C-alpha cells in the first residue's frame, strides 16, 4: 500500500538515513543491488527469494551478511526448512501489544 511506503520514507528522512530506498512496486521489477531487502510477507519465502536474490549485493559492508529481512507471522518451521541459515526474531522482544504476539522478523543471509 502506497501510504505505508510514504511512512517508511518519512521515517528514513526523520532519522536522516540517506541509504534507504523505499519502493511501492513488485519485487521483481526493482532495479539495482542492495545490501538488504526488507519486506512484509507477500508470499512464501521459497517464492520470494528467487524474486530478489539477484538484487542483493555480493559486497558485504555490515556486521550481518547481506540478505533479506522479512516480516512474517505464524509457525514458520515448514516454510523455512529450505533456509537453514535463517534467523528468526520474535517481535515480542520489542513490543508488548497483542498484535505482535505471532509476528517475527526473519533474516535470511544470501
Amino acid at each position: 500500500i502506497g501510504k505505508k511506503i510514504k511512512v517508511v520514507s518519512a521515517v528514513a528522512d526523520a532519522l536522516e538515513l540517506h541509504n534507504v530506498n523505499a519502493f511501492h512496486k513488485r519485487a521483481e521489477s526493482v532495479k539495482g543491488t542492495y545490501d538488504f531487502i526488507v519486506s512484509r510477507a507477500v508470499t512464501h519465502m521459497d517464492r520470494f527469494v528467487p524474486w530478489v536474490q539477484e538484487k542483493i549485493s555480493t559486497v558485504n559492508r555490515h556486521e550481518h551478511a547481506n540478505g533479506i529481512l522479512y516480516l512474517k507471522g505464524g509457525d514458520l518451521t515448514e516454510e523455512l526448512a529450505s533456509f537453514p541459515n535463517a534467523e528468526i526474531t520474535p517481535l515480542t522482544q520489542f513490543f508488548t501489544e497483542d498484535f505482535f504476539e505471532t509476528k517475527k522478523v526473519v533474516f535470511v543471509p544470501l
Side-chain angles (χ1 to χ4, degrees):
I1 297 176
K3 65 183 175 183
K4 291 180 182 179
I5 298 303
K6 289 179 184 178
V7 169
V8 168
S9 295
V11 169
D13 289 344
L15 294 173
E16 297 183 9
L17 300 175
H18 303 292
N19 61 346
V20 174
N21 296 306
F23 301 106
H24 181 217
K25 55 174 68 175
R26 297 188 59 81
E28 55 272 47
S29 68
V30 173
K31 304 291 185 216
T33 58
Y34 305 90
D35 296 343
F36 299 96
I37 303 290
V38 180
S39 180
R40 62 181 290 276
V42 293
T43 188
H44 280 265
M45 191 64 76
D46 58 355
R47 285 190 71 199
F48 186 73
V49 169
W51 293 346
V52 300
Q53 67 186 6
E54 298 300 320
K55 299 170 190 331
I56 297 174
S57 174
T58 57
V59 178
N60 187 12
R61 301 177 294 173
H62 309 281
E63 180 180 331
H64 292 286
N66 296 352
I68 298 169
L69 292 162
Y70 208 56
L71 177 66
K72 293 285 285 184
D75 182 1
L76 303 174
T77 307
E78 185 178 319
E79 180 174 346
L80 296 178
S82 301
F83 302 95
N85 294 330
E87 298 173 20
I88 301 170
T89 302
L91 289 180
T92 54
Q93 289 183 5
F94 309 100
F95 304 101
T96 58
E97 292 84 1
D98 290 343
F99 172 79
F100 297 103
E101 196 169 305
T102 63
K103 306 293 187 218
K104 302 159 186 86
V105 172
V106 178
F107 171 61
V108 178
L110 293 177

